[in-house]
Amino acid sequence: GPGAAAASWGGPGWRLPGRVLELVFSYLELRELRSCALVCKLWHRVLHGDENSEVWRSLAARCLAEEALRTDILCNVPTYKGKVRAFHHAFSTNDCSRNVYIKKNGFTLHRNPIAQSTDGARTKIGFSEGRHAWEVWWEGPLGTVAVIGIATKRAAMQCQGYVALLGSDDQSWGWNLVDNNLLHNGEVNGSFPQCNNAPKYQIGERIRVILDMEDKTLAFERGYEFLGVAFRGLPKVCLYPAVSAVYGNTEVTLVYLGKPLDG
């Protein structure tokens, strides 16, 4: 396996030049690269020194759909390493309502036109520590409820009727973009953002979500304007970026950005 090869290559007797290492690494998958990064400082530097290196470029070409690389879906993720990471943090095709599917681009959820159903999806990876930011935007009408936020693994991703599914119990926290209400435990936790006549969400507008597991807060930004902290006192559990939608054929895209820029 890569570990054994790594041990022999990384020995003091054989230091491959960085360019050769990069070429070899460019044939490996992410899991193998993680092992390689632990071998020695040189290998770690070759892998993580340049986020646009041939290694990340070829991995991106292999794991990302051409559409994701060609369109502006990932326009706020500047490096190839970041694009690969975003893909691994995208919506899960297995952890969503049966009434939605993830489009070929790998980042966009499509809700089928099913009557009297609310449908959600979680990402593949959740967070129990660190600070994380991601973007969410709606393409197509919001309908009566369109909620973005976070959920534990136990939160339901489908229910009957048109309801604010995200925030309907103690396992999820959501911001309903339709009426600007914050939702948790089946209750409205006030309106957001806390200013008079807050502008209504515009279709296609990217909302940035910021989860801080050290401060236990969830905050939102709109067009680089910080809207404030929406939820405090989040529990120390694994929390997943999530959305819930009710409108037929509406589409929601979610892109993981990494650590918030201000940190």
Side-chain angles (χ1 to χ4, degrees), residues 161-211:
Y162 300 131
V163 298
L165 180 56
L166 216 57
S168 64
D169 60 12
D170 63 354
Q171 299 297 307
S172 56
W173 295 257
W175 176 25
N176 183 5
L177 299 176
V178 177
D179 59 14
N180 280 346
N181 280 338
L182 293 177
L183 308 156
H184 175 60
N185 215 1
E187 294 167 1
V188 173
N189 275 25
S191 65
F192 184 85
Q194 284 178 332
C195 58
N196 291 333
N197 304 322
K200 281 276 193 270
Y201 177 80
Q202 303 295 313
I203 299 300
E205 201 173 20
R206 297 184 181 214
I207 298 284
R208 193 163 290 200
V209 190
I210 301 157
L211 175 65

Side-chain angles (χ1 to χ4, degrees), residues 23-43:
L23 196 63
V24 174
F25 290 158
S26 68
Y27 287 94
L28 302 181
E29 295 309 316
L30 189 63
R31 201 170 34 121
E32 298 163 336
L33 291 175
R34 283 199 185 110
S35 308
C36 290
L38 301 172
V39 169
C40 64
K41 282 188 176 139
L42 170 68
W43 286 33

